[in-house]
PDB file of all heavy atoms in Angstrom:
ATOM      1  N   LYS A  61      21.086 -23.155 202.937  1.00  0.00           N
ATOM      2  CA  LYS A  61      21.648 -24.332 202.409  1.00  0.00           C
ATOM      3  C   LYS A  61      21.000 -25.581 203.013  1.00  0.00           C
ATOM      4  O   LYS A  61      20.769 -25.634 204.276  1.00  0.00           O
ATOM      5  CB  LYS A  61      23.160 -24.393 202.694  1.00  0.00           C
ATOM      6  CG  LYS A  61      23.978 -23.276 202.001  1.00  0.00           C
ATOM      7  CD  LYS A  61      25.416 -23.422 202.451  1.00  0.00           C
ATOM      8  CE  LYS A  61      26.271 -22.399 201.741  1.00  0.00           C
ATOM      9  NZ  LYS A  61      27.715 -22.478 202.150  1.00  0.00           N
ATOM     10  N   ASN A  62      20.605 -26.560 202.116  1.00  0.00           N
ATOM     11  CA  ASN A  62      20.003 -27.767 202.598  1.00  0.00           C
ATOM     12  C   ASN A  62      20.583 -28.953 201.683  1.00  0.00           C
ATOM     13  O   ASN A  62      20.587 -28.850 200.539  1.00  0.00           O
ATOM     14  CB  ASN A  62      18.464 -27.771 202.402  1.00  0.00           C
ATOM     15  CG  ASN A  62      17.888 -27.149 203.675  1.00  0.00           C
ATOM     16  OD1 ASN A  62      18.192 -27.591 204.814  1.00  0.00           O
ATOM     17  ND2 ASN A  62      16.997 -26.162 203.481  1.00  0.00           N
ATOM     18  N   GLY A  63      21.097 -29.973 202.425  1.00  0.00           N
ATOM     19  CA  GLY A  63      21.517 -31.212 201.642  1.00  0.00           C
ATOM     20  C   GLY A  63      23.021 -31.193 201.499  1.00  0.00           C
ATOM     21  O   GLY A  63      23.685 -30.293 202.079  1.00  0.00           O
ATOM     22  N   PRO A  64      23.515 -32.039 200.599  1.00  0.00           N
ATOM     23  CA  PRO A  64      24.889 -32.123 200.287  1.00  0.00           C
ATOM     24  C   PRO A  64      25.342 -30.996 199.375  1.00  0.00           C
ATOM     25  O   PRO A  64      24.790 -30.819 198.317  1.00  0.00           O
ATOM     26  CB  PRO A  64      25.028 -33.503 199.617  1.00  0.00           C
ATOM     27  CG  PRO A  64      23.681 -33.739 199.019  1.00  0.00           C
ATOM     28  CD  PRO A  64      22.664 -33.113 199.996  1.00  0.00           C
ATOM     29  N   ILE A  65      26.383 -30.265 199.925  1.00  0.00           N
ATOM     30  CA  ILE A  65      26.885 -29.222 199.086  1.00  0.00           C
ATOM     31  C   ILE A  65      28.466 -29.367 199.211  1.00  0.00           C
ATOM     32  O   ILE A  65      29.042 -29.203 200.261  1.00  0.00           O
ATOM     33  CB  ILE A  65      26.487 -27.805 199.592  1.00  0.00           C
ATOM     34  CG1 ILE A  65      24.908 -27.714 199.500  1.00  0.00           C
ATOM     35  CG2 ILE A  65      27.173 -26.691 198.801  1.00  0.00           C
ATOM     36  CD1 ILE A  65      24.296 -26.422 200.156  1.00  0.00           C
ATOM     37  N   ASP A  67      31.682 -30.976 199.964  1.00  0.00           N
ATOM     38  CA  ASP A  67      32.050 -32.051 200.853  1.00  0.00           C
ATOM     39  C   ASP A  67      31.298 -32.095 202.135  1.00  0.00           C
ATOM     40  O   ASP A  67      31.551 -32.935 203.024  1.00  0.00           O
ATOM     41  CB  ASP A  67      33.537 -32.028 201.131  1.00  0.00           C
ATOM     42  CG  ASP A  67      34.397 -32.351 199.953  1.00  0.00           C
ATOM     43  OD1 ASP A  67      33.986 -33.163 199.112  1.00  0.00           O
ATOM     44  OD2 ASP A  67      35.609 -31.930 199.977  1.00  0.00           O
ATOM     45  N   TYR A  68      30.311 -31.167 202.236  1.00  0.00           N
ATOM     46  CA  TYR A  68      29.618 -31.093 203.578  1.00  0.00           C
ATOM     47  C   TYR A  68      28.130 -31.251 203.445  1.00  0.00           C
ATOM     48  O   TYR A  68      27.597 -31.183 202.281  1.00  0.00           O
ATOM     49  CB  TYR A  68      29.922 -29.696 204.196  1.00  0.00           C
ATOM     50  CG  TYR A  68      31.375 -29.506 204.416  1.00  0.00           C
ATOM     51  CD1 TYR A  68      32.158 -28.814 203.467  1.00  0.00           C
ATOM     52  CD2 TYR A  68      32.006 -30.058 205.480  1.00  0.00           C
ATOM     53  CE1 TYR A  68      33.487 -28.641 203.667  1.00  0.00           C
ATOM     54  CE2 TYR A  68      33.341 -29.890 205.753  1.00  0.00           C
ATOM     55  CZ  TYR A  68      34.099 -29.185 204.810  1.00  0.00           C
ATOM     56  OH  TYR A  68      35.464 -29.085 204.977  1.00  0.00           O
ATOM     57  N   PHE A  69      27.384 -31.499 204.488  1.00  0.00           N
ATOM     58  CA  PHE A  69      25.988 -31.612 204.514  1.00  0.00           C
ATOM     59  C   PHE A  69      25.416 -30.581 205.340  1.00  0.00           C
ATOM     60  O   PHE A  69      25.798 -30.324 206.541  1.00  0.00           O
ATOM     61  CB  PHE A  69      25.590 -33.045 205.026  1.00  0.00           C
ATOM     62  CG  PHE A  69      24.106 -33.268 204.727  1.00  0.00           C
ATOM     63  CD1 PHE A  69      23.636 -33.911 203.728  1.00  0.00           C
ATOM     64  CD2 PHE A  69      23.159 -32.867 205.736  1.00  0.00           C
ATOM     65  CE1 PHE A  69      22.355 -34.117 203.431  1.00  0.00           C
ATOM     66  CE2 PHE A  69      21.811 -33.078 205.517  1.00  0.00           C
ATOM     67  CZ  PHE A  69      21.379 -33.752 204.391  1.00  0.00           C
ATOM     68  N   TYR A  70      24.360 -29.862 204.877  1.00  0.00           N
ATOM     69  CA  TYR A  70      23.692 -28.799 205.604  1.00  0.00           C
ATOM     70  C   TYR A  70      22.254 -29.043 205.866  1.00  0.00           C
ATOM     71  O   TYR A  70      21.600 -29.637 205.007  1.00  0.00           O
ATOM     72  CB  TYR A  70      23.804 -27.417 204.813  1.00  0.00           C
ATOM     73  CG  TYR A  70      25.229 -26.916 204.625  1.00  0.00           C
ATOM     74  CD1 TYR A  70      26.058 -27.421 203.610  1.00  0.00           C
ATOM     75  CD2 TYR A  70      25.699 -26.012 205.482  1.00  0.00           C
ATOM     76  CE1 TYR A  70      27.307 -26.921 203.447  1.00  0.00           C
ATOM     77  CE2 TYR A  70      27.052 -25.501 205.383  1.00  0.00           C
ATOM     78  CZ  TYR A  70      27.835 -26.046 204.343  1.00  0.00           C
ATOM     79  OH  TYR A  70      29.075 -25.508 204.159  1.00  0.00           O
ATOM     80  N   ARG A  71      21.750 -28.654 207.012  1.00  0.00           N
ATOM     81  CA  ARG A  71      20.363 -28.703 207.317  1.00  0.00           C
ATOM     82  C   ARG A  71      19.938 -27.334 207.807  1.00  0.00           C
ATOM     83  O   ARG A  71      20.458 -26.802 208.831  1.00  0.00           O
ATOM     84  CB  ARG A  71      20.157 -29.798 208.413  1.00  0.00           C
ATOM     85  CG  ARG A  71      18.644 -29.928 208.660  1.00  0.00           C
ATOM     86  CD  ARG A  71      18.434 -31.137 209.625  1.00  0.00           C
ATOM     87  NE  ARG A  71      18.590 -32.359 208.923  1.00  0.00           N
ATOM     88  CZ  ARG A  71      19.154 -33.494 209.476  1.00  0.00           C
ATOM     89  NH1 ARG A  71      19.638 -33.417 210.750  1.00  0.00           N
ATOM     90  NH2 ARG A  71      19.321 -34.565 208.814  1.00  0.00           N
ATOM     91  N   ASN A  72      19.082 -26.755 207.067  1.00  0.00           N
ATOM     92  CA  ASN A  72      18.597 -25.353 207.406  1.00  0.00           C
ATOM     93  C   ASN A  72      19.752 -24.417 207.599  1.00  0.00           C
ATOM     94  O   ASN A  72      19.716 -23.577 208.572  1.00  0.00           O
ATOM     95  CB  ASN A  72      17.705 -25.405 208.612  1.00  0.00           C
ATOM     96  CG  ASN A  72      16.442 -26.212 208.394  1.00  0.00           C
ATOM     97  OD1 ASN A  72      15.880 -26.174 207.345  1.00  0.00           O
ATOM     98  ND2 ASN A  72      15.992 -27.007 209.403  1.00  0.00           N
ATOM     99  N   GLY A  73      20.783 -24.493 206.682  1.00  0.00           N
ATOM    100  CA  GLY A  73      21.864 -23.576 206.723  1.00  0.00           C
ATOM    101  C   GLY A  73      22.905 -23.871 207.709  1.00  0.00           C
ATOM    102  O   GLY A  73      23.949 -23.189 207.784  1.00  0.00           O
ATOM    103  N   VAL A  74      22.769 -24.980 208.483  1.00  0.00           N
ATOM    104  CA  VAL A  74      23.816 -25.326 209.536  1.00  0.00           C
ATOM    105  C   VAL A  74      24.529 -26.610 209.112  1.00  0.00           C
ATOM    106  O   VAL A  74      23.938 -27.637 208.730  1.00  0.00           O
ATOM    107  CB  VAL A  74      23.151 -25.647 210.879  1.00  0.00           C
ATOM    108  CG1 VAL A  74      24.139 -26.090 211.903  1.00  0.00           C
ATOM    109  CG2 VAL A  74      22.309 -24.385 211.384  1.00  0.00           C
ATOM    110  N   LYS A  75      25.864 -26.468 209.036  1.00  0.00           N
ATOM    111  CA  LYS A  75      26.676 -27.626 208.682  1.00  0.00           C
ATOM    112  C   LYS A  75      26.596 -28.612 209.779  1.00  0.00           C
ATOM    113  O   LYS A  75      26.737 -28.308 210.892  1.00  0.00           O
ATOM    114  CB  LYS A  75      28.209 -27.160 208.406  1.00  0.00           C
ATOM    115  CG  LYS A  75      29.049 -28.300 207.934  1.00  0.00           C
ATOM    116  CD  LYS A  75      30.412 -27.846 207.475  1.00  0.00           C
ATOM    117  CE  LYS A  75      31.134 -26.995 208.336  1.00  0.00           C
ATOM    118  NZ  LYS A  75      32.483 -26.678 208.051  1.00  0.00           N
ATOM    119  N   GLN A  76      26.271 -29.939 209.331  1.00  0.00           N
ATOM    120  CA  GLN A  76      26.130 -30.928 210.282  1.00  0.00           C
ATOM    121  C   GLN A  76      27.426 -31.617 210.691  1.00  0.00           C
ATOM    122  O   GLN A  76      28.383 -31.627 209.993  1.00  0.00           O
ATOM    123  CB  GLN A  76      25.246 -32.031 209.637  1.00  0.00           C
ATOM    124  CG  GLN A  76      23.839 -31.517 209.266  1.00  0.00           C
ATOM    125  CD  GLN A  76      23.102 -31.022 210.453  1.00  0.00           C
ATOM    126  OE1 GLN A  76      22.703 -31.779 211.349  1.00  0.00           O
ATOM    127  NE2 GLN A  76      22.875 -29.694 210.576  1.00  0.00           N
ATOM    128  N   ASP A  77      27.448 -32.032 211.954  1.00  0.00           N
ATOM    129  CA  ASP A  77      28.622 -32.687 212.548  1.00  0.00           C
ATOM    130  C   ASP A  77      28.866 -34.100 212.178  1.00  0.00           C
ATOM    131  O   ASP A  77      27.930 -34.775 211.653  1.00  0.00           O
ATOM    132  CB  ASP A  77      28.457 -32.693 214.059  1.00  0.00           C
ATOM    133  CG  ASP A  77      28.544 -31.200 214.632  1.00  0.00           C
ATOM    134  OD1 ASP A  77      29.213 -30.344 214.054  1.00  0.00           O
ATOM    135  OD2 ASP A  77      27.979 -30.974 215.740  1.00  0.00           O
ATOM    136  N   ARG A  78      30.046 -34.599 212.375  1.00  0.00           N
ATOM    137  CA  ARG A  78      30.474 -35.950 212.019  1.00  0.00           C
ATOM    138  C   ARG A  78      29.753 -37.019 212.713  1.00  0.00           C
ATOM    139  O   ARG A  78      29.169 -36.837 213.716  1.00  0.00           O
ATOM    140  CB  ARG A  78      31.989 -36.058 212.106  1.00  0.00           C
ATOM    141  CG  ARG A  78      32.377 -35.906 213.582  1.00  0.00           C
ATOM    142  CD  ARG A  78      33.931 -35.920 213.689  1.00  0.00           C
ATOM    143  NE  ARG A  78      34.322 -35.728 215.049  1.00  0.00           N
ATOM    144  CZ  ARG A  78      34.880 -34.719 215.398  1.00  0.00           C
ATOM    145  NH1 ARG A  78      35.096 -33.622 214.619  1.00  0.00           N
ATOM    146  NH2 ARG A  78      35.282 -34.584 216.677  1.00  0.00           N
ATOM    147  N   TYR A  79      29.925 -38.169 212.101  1.00  0.00           N
ATOM    148  CA  TYR A  79      29.420 -39.492 212.662  1.00  0.00           C
ATOM    149  C   TYR A  79      27.896 -39.582 212.817  1.00  0.00           C
ATOM    150  O   TYR A  79      27.467 -40.063 213.775  1.00  0.00           O
ATOM    151  CB  TYR A  79      30.157 -39.832 213.974  1.00  0.00           C
ATOM    152  CG  TYR A  79      31.678 -39.653 213.815  1.00  0.00           C
ATOM    153  CD1 TYR A  79      32.443 -39.016 214.801  1.00  0.00           C
ATOM    154  CD2 TYR A  79      32.394 -40.175 212.868  1.00  0.00           C
ATOM    155  CE1 TYR A  79      33.746 -38.808 214.714  1.00  0.00           C
ATOM    156  CE2 TYR A  79      33.726 -40.020 212.717  1.00  0.00           C
ATOM    157  CZ  TYR A  79      34.469 -39.317 213.664  1.00  0.00           C
ATOM    158  OH  TYR A  79      35.797 -39.081 213.533  1.00  0.00           O
ATOM    159  N   GLN A  80      27.267 -39.153 211.775  1.00  0.00           N
ATOM    160  CA  GLN A  80      25.806 -39.289 211.711  1.00  0.00           C
ATOM    161  C   GLN A  80      25.369 -39.609 210.273  1.00  0.00           C
ATOM    162  O   GLN A  80      25.994 -39.214 209.286  1.00  0.00           O
ATOM    163  CB  GLN A  80      25.147 -38.063 212.234  1.00  0.00           C
ATOM    164  CG  GLN A  80      25.224 -36.846 211.448  1.00  0.00           C
ATOM    165  CD  GLN A  80      24.330 -35.743 211.915  1.00  0.00           C
ATOM    166  OE1 GLN A  80      23.151 -35.976 212.087  1.00  0.00           O
ATOM    167  NE2 GLN A  80      24.911 -34.558 212.106  1.00  0.00           N
ATOM    168  N   LEU A  81      24.365 -40.465 210.243  1.00  0.00           N
ATOM    169  CA  LEU A  81      23.717 -40.750 209.058  1.00  0.00           C
ATOM    170  C   LEU A  81      22.515 -39.848 208.858  1.00  0.00           C
ATOM    171  O   LEU A  81      21.704 -39.726 209.708  1.00  0.00           O
ATOM    172  CB  LEU A  81      23.307 -42.261 209.013  1.00  0.00           C
ATOM    173  CG  LEU A  81      22.769 -42.850 207.754  1.00  0.00           C
ATOM    174  CD1 LEU A  81      23.833 -42.993 206.727  1.00  0.00           C
ATOM    175  CD2 LEU A  81      22.154 -44.225 207.966  1.00  0.00           C
ATOM    176  N   VAL A  82      22.379 -39.245 207.648  1.00  0.00           N
ATOM    177  CA  VAL A  82      21.283 -38.372 207.352  1.00  0.00           C
ATOM    178  C   VAL A  82      20.599 -38.744 206.119  1.00  0.00           C
ATOM    179  O   VAL A  82      21.149 -39.347 205.223  1.00  0.00           O
ATOM    180  CB  VAL A  82      21.744 -36.871 207.333  1.00  0.00           C
ATOM    181  CG1 VAL A  82      22.213 -36.382 208.673  1.00  0.00           C
ATOM    182  CG2 VAL A  82      22.757 -36.710 206.237  1.00  0.00           C
ATOM    183  N   MET A  83      19.276 -38.570 206.086  1.00  0.00           N
ATOM    184  CA  MET A  83      18.488 -38.835 204.908  1.00  0.00           C
ATOM    185  C   MET A  83      18.103 -37.512 204.284  1.00  0.00           C
ATOM    186  O   MET A  83      17.682 -36.579 204.986  1.00  0.00           O
ATOM    187  CB  MET A  83      17.269 -39.670 205.161  1.00  0.00           C
ATOM    188  CG  MET A  83      16.451 -40.021 203.915  1.00  0.00           C
ATOM    189  SD  MET A  83      15.037 -40.970 204.257  1.00  0.00           S
ATOM    190  CE  MET A  83      15.694 -42.537 203.807  1.00  0.00           C
ATOM    191  N   PHE A  84      18.229 -37.390 202.902  1.00  0.00           N
ATOM    192  CA  PHE A  84      17.854 -36.299 202.188  1.00  0.00           C
ATOM    193  C   PHE A  84      17.342 -36.642 200.821  1.00  0.00           C
ATOM    194  O   PHE A  84      17.991 -37.386 200.041  1.00  0.00           O
ATOM    195  CB  PHE A  84      19.090 -35.353 201.967  1.00  0.00           C
ATOM    196  CG  PHE A  84      18.746 -34.032 201.246  1.00  0.00           C
ATOM    197  CD1 PHE A  84      18.061 -33.064 201.859  1.00  0.00           C
ATOM    198  CD2 PHE A  84      19.268 -33.893 199.934  1.00  0.00           C
ATOM    199  CE1 PHE A  84      17.838 -31.917 201.149  1.00  0.00           C
ATOM    200  CE2 PHE A  84      18.980 -32.759 199.261  1.00  0.00           C
ATOM    201  CZ  PHE A  84      18.272 -31.684 199.867  1.00  0.00           C
ATOM    202  N   TYR A  89      23.162 -40.320 203.525  1.00  0.00           N
ATOM    203  CA  TYR A  89      24.456 -39.727 203.477  1.00  0.00           C
ATOM    204  C   TYR A  89      25.112 -39.962 204.880  1.00  0.00           C
ATOM    205  O   TYR A  89      24.452 -39.847 205.854  1.00  0.00           O
ATOM    206  CB  TYR A  89      24.472 -38.277 203.183  1.00  0.00           C
ATOM    207  CG  TYR A  89      23.927 -38.003 201.787  1.00  0.00           C
ATOM    208  CD1 TYR A  89      22.519 -37.803 201.567  1.00  0.00           C
ATOM    209  CD2 TYR A  89      24.759 -37.757 200.683  1.00  0.00           C
ATOM    210  CE1 TYR A  89      21.981 -37.561 200.348  1.00  0.00           C
ATOM    211  CE2 TYR A  89      24.221 -37.458 199.445  1.00  0.00           C
ATOM    212  CZ  TYR A  89      22.869 -37.325 199.329  1.00  0.00           C
ATOM    213  OH  TYR A  89      22.389 -37.061 198.018  1.00  0.00           O
ATOM    214  N   TYR A  90      26.446 -40.170 204.837  1.00  0.00           N
ATOM    215  CA  TYR A  90      27.100 -40.355 206.114  1.00  0.00           C
ATOM    216  C   TYR A  90      28.122 -39.289 206.287  1.00  0.00           C
ATOM    217  O   TYR A  90      28.990 -39.062 205.373  1.00  0.00           O
ATOM    218  CB  TYR A  90      27.816 -41.713 206.280  1.00  0.00           C
ATOM    219  CG  TYR A  90      28.432 -41.963 207.590  1.00  0.00           C
ATOM    220  CD1 TYR A  90      27.676 -42.091 208.774  1.00  0.00           C
ATOM    221  CD2 TYR A  90      29.741 -41.936 207.769  1.00  0.00           C
ATOM    222  CE1 TYR A  90      28.307 -42.278 210.019  1.00  0.00           C
ATOM    223  CE2 TYR A  90      30.399 -42.101 208.989  1.00  0.00           C
ATOM    224  CZ  TYR A  90      29.655 -42.252 210.134  1.00  0.00           C
ATOM    225  OH  TYR A  90      30.206 -42.461 211.313  1.00  0.00           O
ATOM    226  N   ILE A  91      28.095 -38.578 207.435  1.00  0.00           N
ATOM    227  CA  ILE A  91      29.060 -37.517 207.688  1.00  0.00           C
ATOM    228  C   ILE A  91      30.108 -38.125 208.533  1.00  0.00           C
ATOM    229  O   ILE A  91      29.955 -38.618 209.595  1.00  0.00           O
ATOM    230  CB  ILE A  91      28.335 -36.331 208.409  1.00  0.00           C
ATOM    231  CG1 ILE A  91      27.183 -35.890 207.647  1.00  0.00           C
ATOM    232  CG2 ILE A  91      29.368 -35.234 208.756  1.00  0.00           C
ATOM    233  CD1 ILE A  91      26.223 -34.891 208.301  1.00  0.00           C
ATOM    234  N   SER A  92      31.375 -38.039 207.960  1.00  0.00           N
ATOM    235  CA  SER A  92      32.495 -38.817 208.552  1.00  0.00           C
ATOM    236  C   SER A  92      33.498 -37.765 209.147  1.00  0.00           C
ATOM    237  O   SER A  92      33.088 -36.775 209.590  1.00  0.00           O
ATOM    238  CB  SER A  92      33.139 -39.667 207.465  1.00  0.00           C
ATOM    239  OG  SER A  92      34.073 -40.457 207.923  1.00  0.00           O
ATOM    240  N   ASP A  93      34.750 -38.254 209.192  1.00  0.00           N
ATOM    241  CA  ASP A  93      35.805 -37.403 209.796  1.00  0.00           C
ATOM    242  C   ASP A  93      35.940 -36.001 209.166  1.00  0.00           C
ATOM    243  O   ASP A  93      35.570 -35.858 207.982  1.00  0.00           O
ATOM    244  CB  ASP A  93      37.159 -38.087 209.573  1.00  0.00           C
ATOM    245  CG  ASP A  93      37.267 -39.412 210.289  1.00  0.00           C
ATOM    246  OD1 ASP A  93      36.615 -39.590 211.286  1.00  0.00           O
ATOM    247  OD2 ASP A  93      37.985 -40.287 209.790  1.00  0.00           O
ATOM    248  N   GLY A  94      36.164 -35.061 210.021  1.00  0.00           N
ATOM    249  CA  GLY A  94      36.284 -33.662 209.618  1.00  0.00           C
ATOM    250  C   GLY A  94      35.019 -33.106 209.139  1.00  0.00           C
ATOM    251  O   GLY A  94      34.921 -32.092 208.445  1.00  0.00           O
ATOM    252  N   ASN A  95      33.779 -33.616 209.608  1.00  0.00           N
ATOM    253  CA  ASN A  95      32.519 -33.201 209.249  1.00  0.00           C
ATOM    254  C   ASN A  95      32.229 -33.273 207.734  1.00  0.00           C
ATOM    255  O   ASN A  95      31.383 -32.625 207.216  1.00  0.00           O
ATOM    256  CB  ASN A  95      32.269 -31.814 209.745  1.00  0.00           C
ATOM    257  CG  ASN A  95      32.384 -31.602 211.205  1.00  0.00           C
ATOM    258  OD1 ASN A  95      32.139 -32.627 211.985  1.00  0.00           O
ATOM    259  ND2 ASN A  95      32.789 -30.504 211.757  1.00  0.00           N
ATOM    260  N   LYS A  96      33.019 -34.127 207.009  1.00  0.00           N
ATOM    261  CA  LYS A  96      32.883 -34.241 205.591  1.00  0.00           C
ATOM    262  C   LYS A  96      32.028 -35.434 205.236  1.00  0.00           C
ATOM    263  O   LYS A  96      32.086 -36.464 205.922  1.00  0.00           O
ATOM    264  CB  LYS A  96      34.191 -34.303 204.913  1.00  0.00           C
ATOM    265  CG  LYS A  96      35.044 -33.036 204.975  1.00  0.00           C
ATOM    266  CD  LYS A  96      36.398 -33.166 204.251  1.00  0.00           C
ATOM    267  CE  LYS A  96      37.052 -31.874 204.232  1.00  0.00           C
ATOM    268  NZ  LYS A  96      38.305 -32.000 203.457  1.00  0.00           N
ATOM    269  N   LEU A  97      31.427 -35.398 204.091  1.00  0.00           N
ATOM    270  CA  LEU A  97      30.626 -36.479 203.609  1.00  0.00           C
ATOM    271  C   LEU A  97      31.622 -37.671 203.237  1.00  0.00           C
ATOM    272  O   LEU A  97      32.696 -37.433 202.697  1.00  0.00           O
ATOM    273  CB  LEU A  97      29.864 -36.097 202.353  1.00  0.00           C
ATOM    274  CG  LEU A  97      28.614 -35.193 202.565  1.00  0.00           C
ATOM    275  CD1 LEU A  97      28.111 -34.714 201.244  1.00  0.00           C
ATOM    276  CD2 LEU A  97      27.623 -35.901 203.387  1.00  0.00           C
TER     277      LEU A  97
END
Side-chain angles (χ1 to χ4, degrees):
K61 294 179 180 179
N62 274 308
I65 299 173
D67 287 335
Y68 301 97
F69 190 93
Y70 294 85
R71 184 174 287 141
N72 298 321
V74 178
K75 184 168 46 171
Q76 299 299 293
D77 292 333
R78 64 184 176 253
Y79 311 130
Q80 65 171 310
L81 188 69
V82 293
M83 181 178 261
F84 181 73
Y89 297 84
Y90 183 70
I91 304 166
S92 190
D93 296 331
N95 301 329
K96 293 183 177 183
L97 289 170

